[in-house]
Amino acid sequence: MQINRLDAGELAKKFGTPLYVYDFERIKDNARRLKSAFYSDEIKTALFYSVKANSHPAVVHLLKECGYGCDCVSPNEIEIALKAGVKPSDIIYVGNYESLEDLNAVVRAGTKLVLDDINSLDRLLRITRPEMVSFRINPGKGQGKYEQINTAGIKAKFGVPHEKAWLAYEKALKAGVKRFGAHMMAGSGILEEEHFPRMLELLLDILGQISQKLGITFEFVDMGGGFGIPYYGDDHDLDIQQVGSECLKVFKNKIDSLPIGKPALHLEPGRYLVGDAGYLLTRVIGFKESYQNFAGLDAGFNTLIRSALYKAQHPIIVHNKENETELFPINLCGQICENTDIFTVGRPLPKLTEGDLVIITQTGAYGYAMSMTYNHRLRPSEVAIINGQAVEITRREVMSDYWNRIKYPKVQ
Ligand SMILES: Cc1ncc(COP(=O)(O)O)c(C=O)c1O
């Protein structure tokens, strides 16, 4: 298999496995496509890359060059965005259960800020009386490719319930806040085009009621991210052009008919920009014929947790066996001492042999960013393909990284 014209086998030989490889050209294409889908002469739109999806500063910088600001969920993500050259005014902090320390750091950094709750406003007011306040509103329903990534609705931990949202804005108004924004994130990994305009319309109607009640207007309305990519099985490409034009139509109609002012439309895409640009390269270590047939890989849920966490299924390619037609069902697992360390069960794949290079695709989002060192299996390196060259952008973790942080009292 080739990744942007570079042979995956050569990349694995040069940089070792497990290894994340990102195709920067693909990220640029995704960024352009999404930006043009939401372009309008009449509506001001602003795009914020959701750093949580892949927080490597080189990725953040690339997207900054493509005209994207950043959506950050922690002060450390803000630090990464600033180091990547993003201006504070192009950063939006969307936290949850924001501590006083977090809020202090955000206020010091001077970024935009979205509060997750009315109680967060109380904490913010202990630090400062801001000129502008925005709340994340839970519109009462959402969607997600998996239940766990439905970030709105009655089971979600996020946002102010929409029935109470006016109270949050009223409190801010009474505290002397003059300018307002609004935010929603109604789920992730969504491939249904209609979801986006439908949820945007719902949010705008909620804001219309708040405006009517309190006489306030909104400077921006942030519809979050959630744009899905195809992973496996029946998944299809999201028609982003349709999503963009339908959302812009709804937005225009609503700002013309509701007393919400002339807000800008904000977006916070993560997965759509980087997901399909990432490849996880891993080698087959060995086999077990047990009650089921297993092939063990040198990557596990420590490297890519999405299958263990959501039962997510990724496309899997066996290098140099792409064209084999005889397939055998197999379970692929990692080396972690947990029964959930399984990427796939009964996946039809070419006959595997020890040392085969297995490529798990669509792993540019929530891959390395969610990796960990459980069982002291250390984090892999990351390589970017930039202008046809493979460049290591994160070196493989080594045990001295661990020992550098450890204090080891000699207990008698
Ligand atoms: C507040 C917020 N914005 C943006 C995103 C990015 O979502 P996605 O990667 O689905 O575009 C998330 C993801 O959970 C989020 O919580």
Side-chain angles (χ1 to χ4, degrees):
M1 178 186 182
Q2 300 220 319
I3 305 173
N4 196 354
R5 294 184 297 281
L6 297 185
D7 182 74
E10 293 301 319
L11 292 170
K13 249 187 242 152
K14 180 162 180 196
F15 298 103
T17 57
L19 176 73
Y20 275 102
V21 178
Y22 309 120
D23 177 354
F24 271 29
E25 283 307 316
R26 182 72 193 175
I27 297 178
K28 280 199 242 174
D29 285 348
N30 293 340
R32 270 189 227 114
R33 196 179 324 109
L34 181 55
K35 201 171 174 191
S36 89
F38 277 87
Y39 177 78
S40 160
D41 285 332
E42 294 169 300
I43 294 160
K44 190 173 168 342
T45 55
L47 296 141
F48 298 83
Y49 166 54
S50 196
V51 171
K52 61 182 78 66
N54 184 326
S55 58
H56 197 289
V59 172
V60 175
H61 177 78
L62 177 69
L63 286 163
K64 182 206 107 161
E65 295 295 299
C66 297
Y68 284 68
C70 285
D71 148 42
C72 298
V73 70
S74 69
N76 293 340
E77 282 194 357
I78 291 178
E79 180 177 317
I80 290 170
L82 291 171
K83 284 220 164 120
V86 184
K87 289 192 293 211
S89 55
D90 291 336
I91 297 174
I92 188 158
Y93 168 82
V94 186
N96 62 100
Y97 307 88
E98 311 90 325
S99 64
L100 275 174
E101 291 76 13
D102 282 10
L103 291 169
N104 256 309
V106 174
V107 168
R108 268 199 313 274
T111 70
K112 294 184 171 63
L113 167 67
V114 171
L115 297 171
D116 187 61
D117 192 45
I118 193 162
N119 292 320
S120 314
L121 175 64
D122 290 333
R123 285 195 293 282
L124 182 64
L125 291 172
R126 278 154 67 188
I127 300 168
T128 183
R129 196 199 66 198
E131 169 80 12
M132 179 162 181
V133 153
S134 313
F135 289 99
R136 175 171 180 164
I137 295 173
N138 180 337
K141 60 181 170 184
Q143 225 188 92
K145 180 160 174 75
Y146 308 107
E147 192 191 305
Q148 300 93 324
I149 55 174
N150 178 355
T151 51
I154 58 168
K155 289 188 182 166
K157 70 164 186 161
F158 304 104
V160 188
H162 67 99
E163 303 89 342
K164 289 189 190 170
W166 72 274
L167 290 167
Y169 286 100
E170 186 188 52
K171 189 168 202 172
L173 196 58
K174 284 187 176 156
V177 174
K178 303 258 174 343
R179 296 161 52 211
F180 300 93
H183 178 283
M184 167 186 75
M185 170 71 197
S188 188
I190 297 158
L191 291 173
E192 186 205 332
E193 286 80 10
E194 297 75 25
H195 162 87
F196 298 95
R198 190 169 61 228
M199 293 308 297
L200 182 60
E201 186 165 31
L202 181 58
L203 174 65
L204 292 166
D205 285 337
I206 294 165
L207 299 182
Q209 287 168 14
I210 295 171
S211 289
Q212 229 145 27
K213 217 170 196 140
L214 302 177
I216 62 171
T217 56
F218 294 90
E219 292 191 13
F220 72 81
V221 173
D222 189 329
M223 60 178 284
F227 310 106
I229 58 167
Y231 281 95
Y232 186 65
D234 294 336
D235 286 357
H236 56 86
D237 274 319
L238 180 70
D239 184 341
I240 200 71
Q241 204 56 46
Q242 183 188 332
V243 172
S245 68
E246 293 295 319
C247 284
L248 290 168
K249 214 184 293 163
V250 164
F251 202 72
K252 175 88 176 72
N253 284 343
K254 290 293 173 183
I255 56 177
D256 286 348
S257 60
L258 294 171
I260 59 174
K262 291 272 172 275
L265 177 62
H266 287 188
L267 287 95
E268 293 170 2
R271 188 187 315 273
Y272 188 86
L273 296 172
V274 292
D276 69 359
Y279 302 78
L280 173 59
L281 277 49
T282 169
R283 282 205 194 275
V284 175
I285 294 166
F287 300 93
K288 181 181 286 179
E289 285 174 19
S290 179
Y291 299 104
Q292 300 175 46
N293 290 335
F294 291 93
L297 304 174
D298 64 5
F301 79 42
N302 54 316
T303 333
L304 175 69
I305 201 172
R306 298 190 67 259
S307 302
L309 204 53
Y310 317 127
K311 295 206 177 344
Q313 289 299 299
H314 287 254
I316 294 172
I317 293 161
V318 185
H319 184 58
N320 285 341
K321 297 187 177 175
E322 293 88 338
N323 298 324
E324 287 190 18
T325 49
E326 212 182 347
L327 305 178
F328 305 86
I330 188 130
N331 298 1
L332 289 184
C333 63
Q335 296 174 286
I336 294 299
C337 198
E338 296 283 340
N339 228 355
T340 49
D341 185 27
I342 294 193
F343 288 114
T344 193
V345 173
R347 176 74 64 95
L349 289 177
K351 188 91 193 142
L352 294 172
T353 51
E354 208 177 295
D356 268 349
L357 184 65
V358 168
I359 300 156
I360 308 181
T361 73
Q362 313 291 79
T363 49
Y366 309 105
Y368 188 92
M370 286 177 132
S371 67
M372 62 172 96
T373 58
Y374 184 45
N375 285 188
H376 283 280
R377 297 281 174 196
L378 304 181
R379 274 180 280 248
S381 43
E382 294 178 286
V383 161
I385 302 181
I386 305 171
N387 298 329
Q389 303 285 325
V391 186
E392 189 172 57
I393 55 171
T394 307
R395 73 153 165 76
R396 193 170 297 284
E397 214 165 17
V398 289
M399 272 306 276
S400 57
D401 295 324
Y402 168 74
W403 288 116
N404 281 341
R405 295 177 54 236
I406 288 298
K407 295 173 184 171
Y408 186 23
K410 293 268 179 336
V411 180
Q412 301 302 321

